């Protein structure tokens, strides 16, 4: 395996993606970037240490946020997971808030990192998982200069998995026995098909 993945944004979602990549042995190299350098550094160290108990090995590194990102030039995939869900979730028990509320903050970050990604020479695939997902994916495509076919948003894939779980629980079946999709924009405009 010789694939290189980078993750920009190591909040709950980005850190979980990093952990899954390392524990599943999906990438030979993983580069971590976060606005808070100490978060990227700590995640890199923790995931490196964790590999003492894994059957696979992933080379981990972190790039300080304000340093040169030239190391991204040969990355196959960048996962953009930067954002701040707390902006719309003032009350952590209230899950009805609209993800569009994150737009200003997520767009600010895209406008900072998109040109830096372009400058790095990156020419792989970008996967955006920041809210609002579809809008951010389009903005990232514009700011990074990547072709439209190389920038993806995960959209409602997580919501589809949640639908499968809810239906499986309601009918007392295995989650693997459920089929169906949630489509639209992750948040207020999604719907089950």
């Amino acid at each position: 395996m010789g694939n290189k993945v980078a993750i920009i944004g190591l909040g709950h979602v980005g850190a979980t993606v990093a952990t899954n990549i390392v524990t599943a042995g999906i990438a030979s190299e993983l580069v971590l970037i976060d606005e808070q350098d100490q978060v990227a550094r700590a995640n890199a160290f923790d995931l490196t240490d964790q590999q003492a108990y894994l059957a696979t090995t992933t080379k981990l590194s972190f790039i300080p946020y304000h340093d040169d990102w030239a190391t991204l030039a040969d990355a196959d995939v960048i996962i953009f997971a930067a954002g701040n869900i707390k902006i719309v979730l003032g009350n952590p028990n209230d899950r009805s808030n609209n993800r569009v509320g994150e737009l200003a903050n997520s767009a600010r970050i895209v406008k900072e990192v998109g040109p830096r990604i372009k400058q790095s020479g990156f020419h792989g695939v970008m996967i955006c998982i920041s809210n609002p997902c579809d809008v951010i994916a389009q903005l990232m495509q514009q700011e990074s200069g990547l072709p439209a076919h190389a920038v993806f948003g995960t959209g409602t894939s997580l919501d589809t998995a949640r639908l499968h779980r809810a239906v499986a629980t309601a009918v007392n079946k295995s989650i693997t026995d459920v089929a169906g999709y949630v489509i639209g924009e992750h948040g207020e405009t999604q719907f089950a098909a």
Side-chain angles (χ1 to χ4, degrees):
M1 174 182 11
N3 55 343
K4 180 175 180 179
V5 176
I7 299 174
I8 301 172
L10 294 160
H12 295 299
V13 175
T16 298
V17 171
T19 299
N20 288 335
I21 287 171
V22 170
T23 57
I26 293 170
S28 58
E29 185 174 354
L30 181 60
V31 178
L32 305 177
I33 303 170
D34 192 90
E35 282 184 302
Q36 298 178 39
D37 293 338
Q38 68 275 19
V39 170
R41 180 182 300 111
N43 274 275
F45 289 156
D46 287 348
L47 291 169
T48 298
D49 294 345
Q50 178 181 340
Q51 292 180 81
Y53 303 105
L54 299 176
T56 61
T57 304
T58 303
K59 177 183 174 187
L60 277 123
S61 61
F62 68 91
I63 302 173
Y65 190 76
H66 294 289
D67 280 9
D68 182 12
W69 290 8
T71 189
L72 299 181
D74 65 345
D76 299 290
V77 176
I78 294 177
I79 300 168
F80 182 72
N84 185 355
I85 192 67
K86 293 177 186 175
I87 290 171
V88 295
L89 294 180
N91 175 356
N93 297 318
D94 180 4
R95 294 306 222 180
S96 66
N97 292 293
N98 190 334
R99 302 295 194 244
V100 175
E102 291 183 75
L103 178 58
N105 184 61
S106 296
R108 172 193 62 81
I109 299 169
V110 168
K111 288 179 181 181
E112 285 178 13
V113 305
R116 297 181 76 195
I117 292 167
K118 183 177 187 175
Q119 183 180 16
S120 78
F122 173 73
H123 58 275
V125 172
M126 169 78 68
I127 301 172
C128 296
I129 58 179
S130 297
N131 289 320
C133 190
D134 295 337
V135 175
I136 293 303
Q138 182 177 1
L139 183 60
M140 180 60 82
Q141 186 271 319
Q142 294 167 353
E143 293 292 327
S144 68
L146 290 167
H149 69 271
V151 181
F152 298 89
T154 56
T156 53
S157 59
L158 177 60
D159 302 298
T160 294
R162 290 173 175 159
L163 171 70
H164 289 196
R165 176 193 39 81
V167 171
T169 300
V171 297
N172 198 26
K173 294 288 181 183
S174 169
I175 197 168
T176 59
D177 293 333
V178 178
Y181 297 94
V182 174
I183 58 177
E185 172 73 27
H186 174 64
E188 295 296 309
T189 63
Q190 69 188 22
F191 59 95

